[in-house]
Structure formats: structure tokens, C-alpha cells
Amino acid sequence: MANQPVPVPEQPEAHVDDPKPPAEDAVERSTGVPVDEVAIPVASDVDPQANATEDAPTVTASKADPTADEAAPDAHVEVPSGPVADSGAPVAQWVGAGLLAVILAGAVLAVLRKSAPQLALPSTMGSPQPVEDTPAPISDSGLVSRFREALTRTGAALRDQFDGLFGRPIDEQLFEDLEEVLLVADVGMPTANRIIEKVRAAASDPDPQPEVLREAMRSEMRSILDGVHAPLLPHSCKPWVVLVVGVNGSGKTTTIGKLAARYRAEGKSVLVAAGDTYRAAATEQLAVWAERSGAEIVKGKDGSDPGAVVYDALTAAKARDHDVVLVDTAGRLQTAKPLMDQLAKIRRVIGKVVPTAPHETLLVVDGTIGQNAMSQAKLFNEATPLSGVVITKLDGTAKGGMILALASEMRLSVKLVGVGEQIDDLRDFDSDVFIDAVS
């Protein structure tokens, strides 16, 4: 049997002037309001920063279409306001346009990331990067430059005063003013008088010149420093024992850490004796410096006998064949006699374990304390004979005159100076650089 066409029932003619898309027809059937009556806000009338949220304000549309007889003249619908475009375009078209904009934006961003990777910000998340404990080594010329720079800052004010003094006529008032400048610079009266006498001798020439007087002052300063200058002694036995003393706050523990780093850089094995068993966290602080410098440390319990700790450290150093032992001691005021007596006891313990030790006994002095350095040096020297002095904080407000006083009156050589916070900022003292900087 041949296939017969299926008759299609006739559809009634739609009594509309313009056919509507299915989406608009569905809106009219569900709301009962012609789509043409719904006013879509123009994009220019809407704040582009506004977000279409549930609690956004609404607008009411009541524009009637004269061709829609079936709609009530006062029919209205509340439409959420938001950044949608006008012109009566179908909703589907605007949804498609939005999707297209998102796709284009993603494509542009991908191109930018691929072609300009230098714009990417470094990530702050993830595993932490390893941080080196010690700074990168710098050249010898850089170290000398840093030393000169620190001393220049220290002596700038003093040098300016000398410029004013030796740039005026030579008379008795000049010598009085020179004495005042030297005393203010912490040189001390005995040393100041020694320098002034040298300058007076130069002024006795028939035609003295200010620059000649200045050179006479510099020459006497150099003579004072060179007369006692002695660098750190070379190692002549093992272990080489360095006893470090000083008051609290002078930079003693920091100096030990920097000195340990210096010896380690020379290829020597270093052991640190944590003899400061009284100050809170002193052992922990020294342990941090020992770790940074690569040195070993021997420590006891808080409040334990420092002599016992030093004995154990020296015994261990001999057993392990260490090259250098640095002995830390509790900070103490030079006027506290019981503590000074204990310092003498530590020295005796060292001598029993290593008969020729200590090979160096260094007093650490804060460079900003001025003439108080003389009092510290005298009393510490009575408890344990000093071989030299370390001046710290010389890169700050220190005037530096006590260096001349220590050399002239105590016959003590300034062997090391601290000129910064870095682990390699402990430098050998250079008398020529010092004199050039301050005078």
C-alpha cells in the first residue's frame, strides 16, 4: 500500500501584525503583559558599578503599546534595575553577547600572560626559600672602604673643629681652644697635654704655619698609637685560647660571634665556651652566633658555675684537636668586686687546662662611653691582665678619642673595631686610617 500524505490540520491565522520570537511570546503568556511595555533601562542611565543583586532597587514600567488591545492600560511589572542594555533586543541576544565578552576577555588575558611573563608578580606562597645565615663575601678593598667610611663618620665633627682651629692666627687662645676640643673628644687630660706640648714646640719656629701645627698634632697621635700597636697574635699552639671580657651591653657576645666567623673563614676549627651563665638568654644568643659562624659550642645550665663550663670546653677542645677556643664571660660592672674575683678564677681555670693560656685577653668597650672606657680598662686589667681592646659601635656617635687615651695612659692596643652589624664587620684597627679620619 502506497504511503499517503498525512493531512495537516489548518492552523488559525494569528491576528498579529508582527510575529514574536518564542522567548517574548513565553514572557507575555506567563506575565500577561506585552513585552513591548517592559522598559529596559538604558546602559548610560545606569551606574556601571552597580551590581544587580536581590536587594537592588526596582523600576516600574507602564508604557502602553497602542497596538496591544488585550493589555490593561495600567498594567506594569517590576524589573530589577541593573547594567543591562536598552533597544528592546531579545534577552537571548544579550546573554550571547555577554558570553562572547567573557570569552574574548579570557583570550586577551591568555595572550598577555604568554607574551609578557615579566608582568607576573612573584608568588608569596609555597615553600620558603633558603636564607643564607652569613653574608656573601666581599673583596678586601670593600672591607677597607667600609672601615674608612665608618671612621670618617666618627671623626667628621672633630675634623671640622680642627679645620677651624688651624685656619686662624696662632696665639695662646688657639692652644686653649685646642685643649677644649681634645677633651670634648674624650682624649683625656694627660693625653691632651702631651699632644698640645708637641704643637707648642712646632709653633716656636720663627714663621710657624697653621698647617705645620696641624701636622705636628697628627704626628704625635701617630706616635701614641704606633707605640703600642699589636695585631691579634698568630697561633703558636693548639688550642689557641681567647678570653673575652666586658660589661653588659658593650657588644661582647656579638664580638665573639664575629671573631668565630673570622677564624672559620681562615680555615680554623673553633669552639665557643658559653661562660656567661647568669644573664637570661645569653647562652641562646651565643648559640645562634656559633651556628651562623660554623663553630661548636659547649654550654652549661643557667646559673651553673662558669668555671666548670670553661673547664669542660677546654677539655673538649683538646680532645677534638680544635684550633681556637673563644671564652665568653658574664658581663659585669668593673666596680662589682665579687664578679671581678670570679673572672680571675676563670683565668686560673684556663691556665690549669692549657698552661700557656689565655693567649689573648680582649676587653670589649662600647665606643660611645667616652672616658668611662679608662675606668673599665683599669679594673678589668687588675682582675685579668689585658692584651688588647675591641672598640664596638665605632660607626655611630662615638668620638674615638678614648682610643688615644687607652694607648697613651694604659699602654693598651686597640686591636679590633666593630664598624657595622654584619658578621664580617669586625676589622683590624688601622692607626693611619683613624688619624686621617679624625684630624
Side-chain angles (χ1 to χ4, degrees):
M1 181 176 180
N3 293 331
Q4 298 296 328
V6 179
V8 179
E10 295 183 359
Q11 300 292 333
E13 294 182 0
H15 297 286
V16 292
D17 295 333
D18 300 318
K20 293 181 174 60
E24 295 186 9
D25 186 55
V27 171
E28 288 188 5
R29 287 198 303 270
S30 62
T31 63
V33 181
V35 173
D36 294 337
E37 290 190 15
V38 180
I40 307 299
V42 181
S44 61
D45 295 336
V46 180
D47 184 0
Q49 300 300 325
N51 295 322
T53 60
E54 293 180 358
D55 55 350
T58 59
V59 296
T60 302
S62 58
K63 178 181 177 182
D65 186 349
T67 62
D69 297 333
E70 64 275 13
D74 58 348
H76 68 278
V77 63
E78 290 188 350
V79 182
S81 64
V84 289
D86 198 5
S87 76
V91 176
Q93 294 181 8
W94 287 108
V95 172
L99 291 175
L100 179 60
V102 171
I103 294 173
L104 289 176
V108 171
L109 183 60
V111 172
L112 288 176
R113 286 179 175 174
K114 183 176 181 179
S115 60
Q118 68 275 13
L119 298 178
L121 296 177
S123 173
T124 59
M125 304 299 291
S127 302
Q129 296 297 321
V131 179
E132 295 185 0
D133 288 332
T134 57
I138 57 179
S139 64
D140 291 340
S141 60
L143 293 173
V144 173
S145 299
R146 186 185 300 169
F147 179 47
R148 289 181 181 274
E149 180 183 356
L151 290 180
T152 299
R153 290 196 301 269
T154 295
L158 187 59
R159 187 174 58 253
D160 290 344
Q161 295 184 66
F162 287 139
D163 288 342
L165 282 175
F166 295 112
R168 71 187 201 191
I170 301 173
D171 54 16
E172 186 61 28
Q173 186 62 42
L174 182 145
F175 297 110
E176 293 181 4
D177 292 343
L178 175 59
E179 180 184 71
E180 180 180 353
V181 170
L182 291 173
L183 292 178
V184 171
D186 300 325
V187 172
M189 182 60 76
T191 307
N193 288 337
R194 175 177 172 177
I195 294 173
I196 291 172
E197 288 302 318
K198 187 74 172 181
V199 176
R200 283 184 181 275
S204 62
D205 292 342
D207 185 21
Q209 298 297 320
E211 192 57 36
V212 174
L213 301 187
R214 186 168 192 166
E215 183 55 38
M217 179 190 70
R218 292 162 57 91
S219 175
E220 186 62 19
M221 289 181 176
R222 186 174 292 104
S223 176
I224 291 172
L225 296 177
D226 290 347
V228 298
H229 178 64
L232 286 177
L233 295 174
H235 302 165
S236 57
C237 66
K238 294 175 65 173
W240 186 258
V241 182
V242 180
L243 177 63
V244 184
V245 301
V247 303
N248 283 327
S250 62
K252 177 169 52 65
T253 303
T254 302
T255 297
I256 291 174
K258 293 179 179 180
L259 197 55
R262 172 179 175 142
Y263 285 130
R264 289 290 296 143
E266 295 175 359
K268 296 179 173 60
S269 57
V270 179
L271 186 143
V272 177
D276 186 355
T277 59
Y278 298 138
R279 182 169 62 88
T283 300
E284 289 77 4
Q285 181 185 2
L286 190 62
V288 171
W289 277 106
E291 182 179 0
R292 290 184 63 187
S293 60
E296 294 185 29
I297 184 170
V298 173
K299 52 189 178 181
K301 296 181 180 180
D302 291 343
S304 60
D305 181 12
V309 175
V310 173
Y311 180 88
D312 291 342
L314 292 174
T315 304
K318 293 178 68 175
R320 302 172 191 172
D321 199 30
H322 278 290
D323 296 311
V324 179
V325 177
L326 303 176
V327 180
D328 188 17
T329 57
R332 63 203 74 208
L333 292 176
Q334 67 273 21
T335 56
K337 190 175 186 306
L339 291 177
M340 298 301 286
D341 291 342
Q342 186 187 72
L343 187 59
K345 173 186 174 182
I346 292 175
R347 183 181 179 90
R348 292 194 298 269
V349 170
I350 293 174
K352 289 181 179 179
V353 182
V354 183
T356 59
H359 305 101
E360 290 272 14
T361 302
L362 302 178
L363 171 65
V364 181
V365 175
D366 184 337
T368 64
I369 65 173
Q371 277 293 297
N372 192 33
M374 292 295 299
S375 173
Q376 292 183 17
K378 289 176 181 178
L379 294 178
F380 273 100
N381 194 54
E382 291 176 1
T384 174
L386 304 174
S387 63
V389 180
V390 180
I391 305 293
T392 62
K393 308 174 188 178
L394 202 58
D395 57 328
T397 59
K399 299 172 184 176
M402 96 281 284
I403 294 177
L404 292 166
L406 289 169
S408 176
E409 300 174 39
M410 292 290 300
R411 306 297 297 170
L412 283 175
S413 170
V414 175
K415 297 196 173 188
L416 301 167
V417 292
V419 295
E421 298 296 328
Q422 299 299 322
I423 199 169
D424 59 349
D425 282 336
L426 187 67
R427 310 306 309 156
D428 292 322
F429 179 73
D430 189 318
S431 59
D432 291 332
V433 174
F434 173 76
I435 293 172
D436 289 342
V438 300
S439 63

